[in-house]
Amino acid sequence: NAGVTQTPKFRILKIGQSMTLQCTQDMNHNYMYWYRQDPGMGLKLIYYSVGAGITDKGEVPNGYNVSRSTTEDFPLRLELAAPSQTSVYFCASLQRRFNTDTQYFGPGTRLTVL
Amino acid sequence: RKEVEQDPGPFNVPEGATVAFNCTYSNSASQSFFWYRQDCRKEPKLLMSVYSSGNEDGRFTAQLNRASQYISLLIRDSKLSDSATYLCVVNIPTGNQFYFGTGTSLTVIP
């Protein structure tokens, strides 16, 4: 299993540009998440999905959009990039078991908006 | 008020020392609790879940105090490889969202 994969690993955008961060998991998990992590800070939830066709906003959704057409893929769209969106973006999928939940994270996408 | 708060540290301890981290959470109805480890410029990875009765995994012990709304992580016999940032994570009552603390930085010194 590859687990959770994210592309690209690094990206530099100009203000006002748009891009899609890709996230794919091969563990057949229903729950998937997008987080951003600013330097020295914890992870903040942007959007999440409990299954194909279902998405919901997290703590910091403004400036982002998501879709979930398949169980495997959960892309994050940035429209009109702003410097405040410079961050590291992590995608995660969730394994739910009786006595614990485990989030598996991708390696992250480091985005700089100039 | 933040959902989860941690002392950011840094904690610098010698090899073999015992070190403890605490974390407080604001929502008394929070359901489940975790400690994640994050190495520099890497993704977080689950270290251990925290159960109501407390639990141990080798040199790591996690405790939950629901009355005071805090979680702790104790690391005994610290190793150089324990150097990382430790993130406290709380699952809110709806069960679908997780809140992360800002992390506590640990450096184990030879």
Side-chain angles (χ1 to χ4, degrees):
Chain A
N1 285 352
V4 180
T5 57
Q6 291 183 239
T7 57
K9 290 184 179 174
F10 304 92
R11 184 74 185 267
I12 298 175
L13 283 182
K14 294 183 179 178
I15 294 173
Q17 287 185 320
S18 300
M19 76 166 293
T20 298
L21 282 66
Q22 301 293 344
C23 175
T24 299
Q25 54 99 2
D26 62 359
M27 297 174 282
N28 202 34
H29 294 159
N30 286 322
Y31 292 74
M32 295 186 74
Y33 300 82
W34 273 108
Y35 296 93
R36 59 176 288 172
Q37 185 176 32
D38 298 330
M41 303 295 287
L43 280 71
K44 292 191 182 297
L45 181 64
I46 305 171
Y47 271 94
Y48 67 100
S49 169
V50 301
I54 306 169
T55 63
D56 212 341
K57 295 179 181 179
E59 209 178 342
V60 290
N62 292 344
Y64 306 94
N65 277 300
V66 292
S67 59
R68 184 93 183 274
S69 56
T70 67
T71 299
E72 293 77 22
D73 299 307
F74 190 37
L76 177 72
R77 178 83 177 160
L78 276 72
E79 304 282 0
L80 299 175
S84 61
Q85 292 178 304
T86 294
S87 192
V88 180
Y89 291 84
F90 289 104
C91 177
S93 70
L94 179 68
Q95 177 187 64
R96 305 213 91 154
R97 285 188 171 164
F98 172 70
N99 61 347
T100 193
D101 294 334
T102 304
Q103 290 189 74
Y104 292 91
F105 286 84
T109 293
R110 283 173 169 71
L111 175 67
T112 302
V113 181
L114 300 173
Chain B
R1 183 180 177 186
K2 291 183 180 179
E3 293 282 345
V4 181
E5 299 207 53
Q6 291 181 252
D7 177 354
F11 285 68
N12 299 313
V13 303
E15 271 187 290
T18 296
V19 61
F21 308 136
N22 288 330
C23 164
T24 58
Y25 60 95
S26 60
N27 191 328
S28 60
S30 297
Q31 292 178 326
S32 48
F33 311 89
F34 313 88
W35 284 102
Y36 275 72
R37 171 192 169 128
Q38 185 174 26
D39 293 306
C40 187
R41 300 180 70 80
K42 297 284 191 180
E43 70 273 21
K45 292 184 179 178
L46 179 67
L47 177 65
M48 58 195 304
S49 301
V50 186
Y51 301 121
S52 297
S53 56
N55 48 299
E56 190 174 300
D57 183 2
R59 296 181 293 109
F60 299 85
T61 301
Q63 297 279 354
L64 168 64
N65 185 320
R66 284 192 183 271
S68 301
Q69 293 180 213
Y70 82 78
I71 308 146
S72 65
L73 176 68
L74 182 77
I75 304 175
R76 292 181 300 279
D77 189 24
S78 298
K79 311 289 185 192
L80 295 176
S81 57
D82 294 334
S83 298
T85 297
Y86 292 83
L87 303 169
C88 175
V89 183
V90 173
N91 186 213
I92 69 169
T94 62
N96 294 329
Q97 296 192 43
F98 295 83
Y99 284 89
F100 285 71
T102 55
T104 298
S105 174
L106 171 67
T107 300
V108 181
I109 304 164

